[in-house]
Amino acid sequence: KVCQHLVESKQFVCAEPDMYHAAITTCVNDPLFTTQWALTNINGINACNAWGLSTGIGTKIAIVDEGFENNHPDLSANVINTGYDAIFGSSPTLVYGPHGTACAGIAAAKSNNAVGIAGVAPNAQLMSVSVLFANSSGIQGSTTSAHWADAILWPMNQGADVISNSWGTSSSALITAALF
């Protein structure tokens, strides 16, 4: 409020607090780790400290998305199966676009491998479940409520502890039943 009052007095061009900018801590050798604002920001996760408590060992995370690259150098060590494609109801997972690989990396990219980024849970196990998004790399087709429900049920039947979804869809009785 003080800054706003000073600017509104028309006696100053600008007014702002002199903020401290903490140096980014690097506790891993992944070259892009310092660009991961949410993991390194003092108001964010503070992953370096959190990894002292847990790195995700024993946790199975299913990424329900456009599929992810099982052979990605920052993910492959954590991939536990060939995944599942809910559109065709078969394995392996298909990759319909880049979004799923990015989501898998945020969740569980290996840390201290001198590659790319570090995931929030870098020692968790990953499984890929692919569906089509409306903008999936120009691929024709769509995901029905039955596909979405299948995409939720498959990882549950595989023992997933976490099912990560960064998508939205309208609700249906099939999707609700799969969730509960």
Side-chain angles (χ1 to χ4, degrees):
K1 287 190 170 199
V2 172
C3 291
Q4 181 180 349
H5 177 71
L6 292 172
V7 171
E8 289 175 356
S9 75
K10 307 266 191 244
Q11 296 178 14
F12 300 90
V13 174
C14 71
E16 64 184 17
D18 189 13
M19 303 294 288
Y20 285 99
H21 297 273
I24 295 175
T25 303
T26 301
C27 58
V28 292
N29 67 6
D30 303 287
L32 299 176
F33 177 71
T34 58
T35 67
Q36 293 181 265
W37 181 86
L39 296 187
T40 59
N41 185 276
I42 58 174
N43 296 317
I45 293 174
N46 194 345
C48 294
N49 288 342
W51 290 329
L53 301 173
S54 176
T55 59
I57 292 174
T59 303
K60 294 179 183 177
I61 302 173
I63 307 296
V64 177
D65 207 286
E66 293 182 304
F68 66 76
E69 300 170 33
N70 285 342
N71 62 349
H72 189 285
D74 227 1
L75 303 175
S76 62
N78 289 342
V79 175
I80 58 172
N81 56 37
T82 59
Y84 181 72
D85 180 76
I87 302 303
F88 292 103
S90 62
S91 290
T93 189
L94 297 176
V95 179
Y96 295 111
H99 191 260
T101 301
C103 292
I106 291 166
K110 260 327 220 186
S111 64
N112 271 325
N113 63 352
V115 175
I117 65 170
V120 173
N123 291 318
Q125 298 175 310
L126 283 168
M127 58 181 86
S128 176
V129 180
S130 53
V131 293
L132 279 169
F133 289 175
N135 60 349
S136 292
S137 299
I139 297 170
Q140 296 297 315
S142 59
T143 302
T144 66
S145 294
H147 293 133
W148 288 116
D150 192 27
I152 294 165
L153 291 171
W154 186 85
M156 289 173 64
N157 292 329
Q158 303 301 309
D161 299 299
V162 176
I163 300 175
S164 174
N165 309 288
S166 65
W167 44 264
T169 186
S170 57
S171 185
S172 78
L174 284 172
I175 295 170
T176 301
L179 290 169
F180 300 102

